[in-house]
Amino acid sequence: YLEKFERTNRNRFSLIFSAPDDSLPVLTPLNFQQEDWAIVEKNQTNDTLLYWIKDSLIYNMDTLLLTADYKRTDSLRQLTPFKDTLNLVFRERKKPVRKSKKDKKDEDQAPEIEFMKISPQFSSIVNIYDKLNFAFDQPVDSIKEESLKLEIKVDTVWTPVNDYTFFQDSLKHRIFSLKTKWKPGGEYRVSLDSLASVSIYGNPSNRLSQSFKVKTVEEYSNFYIETLGIKDSAFVELLNSSDQPVRKSPVKDGGAEFIYVDPGTYYIRLVKDRNENGKFDTGNFAEKRQPEEVFYHSIVQTVSFPAHALLNTFLLKHSLVLLVLVLPALVRMKDQPGSIRYLLKSLIQHSRNHTQNRTVGDGIADQIAAAQIKDGREIELLSKQTELCHIGDPLLVRLFGVEVPV
C-alpha cells in the first residue's frame, strides 16, 4: 500500500510504498493535461519514488490532483489493482521585504546566475576498483562530455587521460559516473568547465575541480576461499561488523577469489545460488520451494602485503590471526551436515592446530605469513586447517550462547 506521499518542494514530490514492487504506479493528472510531465527517480525495489516536474506552469500550481494505480494487498493478503487519489499541496510563506535605497539600485543590475550544484561523491583517497560519482542537485537536461577533463600527474606535469567512460545512472538520473583503469598510487585531477551542463530548469553548472590519489597495491589484501563440496552455482560475501555485505565473488571451480580487499576483520557468508541469479532467494510455500542454503564462517582477518612480511607488524596489529589461526591467505568451506561427532572432531582438531602453530620463536612470519606471498603480490595457498560449517553447528555457540571465533 501507499505508505506516504508528500510535496516538500514546488517542483518535486515523493511516493513511498510499504513493500517492493516489480512495476511503477501509473499516475494520471486530473487538474492539468500534459504527457511526459515528470522525470522519475527510483530505487532498485521501486518502493521509494521521486518525481521531478518539468513544466513551470504545472509546478507553480499550489495543488496538484492525481490518480495513482498500483497493486495493494487486500484482506486475503492478495495483491489486487487499486486506484488512489493524491492531493499534492504546496504553499510558500511569503515574508514581507522592506526595500532600502541600495536594494532599489540593485534592481537595475542584472540578476545573479543560479547555478546547478555538483557534489563529488568521493574523497581525496580512491580505491583501485572505484568509480567517481558526481551528484547534481537537479535533473540534467544536457551535458558536454568534452568539457570533462581527467588528468594524471607525471613527475610534476598534469597529463590528460582519455581512456575513460562517463555515464548516467539508470535509476538515479542525477548521478553521473566516471570509470577508468586507475594507476595504483597515481595522483589524479578531474575538472568540469563552467556551463558544461544545464538542468531541465535551465540552470547551468559552475566550474568543478577535484584532486585525489589512488591507493597503492600494498595497501590491500588478496586472498582465495576454497569451497569444498561446492564447485559452482554459489557466491561468497564478505560482511562487516554490521552484517552488511561489502564484497561479493562467485564460486568458480571450487573457490572464490577476492582482489583488492581493504585490510580489516570480516565475516564470510556462502550462499548456494541454485538459480544463479546472484542473490539470496527466500522460500515459497505455494511453490513448495525451500530457501537457498546459507553458510557462515565466524571470522576472517585480512592484512595488507607489508603486514605479511614483517613479523613485528603482524604480531602487534594482527594478533587475532595468531590466536585463532584464521590465516588471511585461505579459508576453507566444507559443505556437510552438522552433528555432535563432527563438532567434537572439529573442536579437537582446532585445539591441535592451535597448539602446533602457537610457537612464535620459530618465526611465524616466515612459516605462515611470508611464505604465502609470491613475487610480493600473489598469495600462495598453503594452509588447509580452517573449515566452514553451517551457522547452527559451532559447539561453543550452542553451549555458551555467545559468538566466538573458531
Side-chain angles (χ1 to χ4, degrees):
Y1 61 90
L2 182 59
E3 189 175 87
K4 183 180 181 181
F5 64 92
E6 58 181 353
R7 187 184 177 191
T8 56
N9 294 82
R10 184 171 290 279
N11 61 349
R12 60 186 180 270
F13 63 92
S14 60
L15 304 181
I16 301 177
F17 291 86
S18 60
D21 199 351
D22 56 357
S23 61
L24 295 176
V26 179
L27 301 184
T28 305
L30 296 180
N31 61 345
F32 63 92
Q33 297 294 329
Q34 187 174 347
E35 296 181 358
D36 191 25
W37 53 273
I39 295 177
V40 186
E41 288 186 9
K42 57 184 179 179
N43 59 353
Q44 293 183 346
T45 54
N46 291 334
D47 55 8
T48 302
L49 309 176
L50 180 63
Y51 290 81
W52 291 83
I53 306 173
K54 298 180 180 179
D55 197 337
S56 60
L57 295 177
I58 299 176
Y59 65 68
N60 282 328
M61 299 172 60
D62 293 338
T63 303
L64 299 178
L65 293 178
L66 307 168
T67 59
D69 293 274
Y70 57 91
K71 296 178 182 179
R72 182 176 178 177
T73 305
D74 58 14
S75 57
L76 299 177
R77 304 192 64 80
Q78 299 294 325
L79 288 177
T80 57
F82 183 79
K83 183 184 291 290
D84 203 350
T85 302
L86 309 180
N87 186 15
L88 301 169
V89 180
F90 180 80
R91 291 186 177 92
E92 288 180 322
R93 293 183 178 180
K94 297 183 179 180
K95 298 181 180 180
V97 179
R98 295 182 180 180
K99 295 184 179 180
S100 62
K101 293 181 179 180
K102 183 178 179 181
D103 294 333
K104 292 180 180 179
K105 292 181 180 180
D106 294 339
E107 289 180 354
D108 300 331
Q109 299 178 0
E112 295 184 0
I113 299 176
E114 183 180 351
F115 289 101
M116 176 175 52
K117 296 180 181 179
I118 308 176
S119 302
Q121 303 293 300
F122 54 91
S123 63
S124 58
I125 304 297
V126 175
N127 285 305
I128 292 179
Y129 52 83
D130 274 350
K131 58 184 179 181
L132 305 183
N133 292 331
F134 302 87
F136 293 76
D137 69 337
Q138 299 173 8
V140 178
D141 181 64
S142 62
I143 187 169
K144 301 176 183 178
E145 293 190 20
E146 62 271 15
S147 300
L148 179 67
K149 296 179 182 179
L150 179 64
E151 300 169 299
I152 184 173
K153 181 179 282 189
V154 180
D155 294 332
T156 59
V157 179
W158 288 105
T159 305
V161 177
N162 299 319
D163 186 17
Y164 65 85
T165 56
F166 188 68
F167 55 94
Q168 185 178 24
D169 191 274
S170 59
L171 298 178
K172 298 180 179 179
H173 303 304
R174 292 181 293 125
I175 302 294
F176 284 77
S177 302
L178 186 151
K179 188 176 183 180
T180 188
K181 185 177 181 180
W182 304 112
K183 179 182 178 181
E187 186 176 351
Y188 288 84
R189 181 176 67 185
V190 60
S191 59
L192 187 67
D193 295 338
S194 58
L195 309 180
S197 58
V198 181
S199 72
I200 61 174
Y201 306 116
N203 298 327
S205 60
N206 207 344
R207 176 173 173 78
L208 171 70
S209 181
Q210 180 90 5
S211 299
F212 58 94
K213 191 175 182 180
V214 180
K215 288 184 177 182
T216 61
V217 175
E218 289 75 18
E219 296 180 73
Y220 294 99
S221 176
N222 299 346
F223 59 94
Y224 181 86
I225 298 176
E226 184 181 6
T227 57
L228 296 182
I230 301 178
K231 294 296 184 181
D232 50 23
S233 299
F235 60 85
V236 178
E237 292 179 313
L238 299 183
L239 310 178
N240 58 18
S241 58
S242 301
D243 202 32
Q244 298 296 322
V246 295
R247 294 287 293 273
K248 180 170 67 173
S249 179
V251 175
K252 296 180 180 179
D253 300 326
E257 186 178 27
F258 288 89
I259 305 296
Y260 299 140
V261 178
D262 288 327
T265 302
Y266 302 96
Y267 295 87
I268 292 181
R269 178 168 64 193
L270 182 143
V271 178
K272 280 188 174 181
D273 193 13
R274 292 193 299 260
N275 56 2
E276 299 184 355
N277 63 350
K279 63 180 182 179
F280 170 75
D281 294 308
T282 59
N284 189 303
F285 180 78
E287 299 177 3
K288 297 182 179 180
R289 186 181 70 243
Q290 294 290 335
E292 293 179 336
E293 294 181 83
V294 180
F295 298 84
Y296 284 78
H297 191 282
S298 59
I299 195 170
V300 168
Q301 185 166 3
T302 62
V303 296
S304 58
F305 291 123
H308 278 284
L310 300 177
L311 175 61
N312 293 336
T313 304
F314 192 81
L315 290 175
L316 295 177
K317 294 186 178 181
H318 305 281
S319 58
L320 181 60
V321 179
L322 295 178
L323 294 177
V324 301
L325 296 178
V326 179
L327 304 182
L330 175 65
V331 177
R332 300 184 70 192
M333 295 183 172
K334 191 168 185 178
D335 178 27
Q336 57 182 337
S339 63
I340 297 299
R341 178 182 178 184
Y342 172 74
L343 292 175
L344 293 175
K345 179 182 177 182
S346 299
L347 185 60
I348 295 173
Q349 182 63 37
H350 174 73
S351 302
R352 290 178 180 176
N353 295 335
H354 185 83
T355 304
Q356 293 173 2
N357 295 276
R358 190 68 177 91
T359 304
V360 180
D362 296 336
I364 191 169
D366 296 330
Q367 293 186 1
I368 297 181
Q372 297 174 63
I373 303 299
K374 184 178 181 181
D375 299 330
R377 292 295 182 269
E378 299 179 359
I379 295 178
E380 183 180 354
L381 308 180
L382 296 179
S383 175
K384 294 186 177 180
Q385 297 171 352
T386 55
E387 296 180 342
L388 179 81
C389 306
H390 194 274
I391 187 172
D393 290 344
L395 179 62
L396 297 179
V397 176
R398 288 186 176 181
L399 292 177
F400 303 105
V402 296
E403 186 173 355
V404 294
V406 294

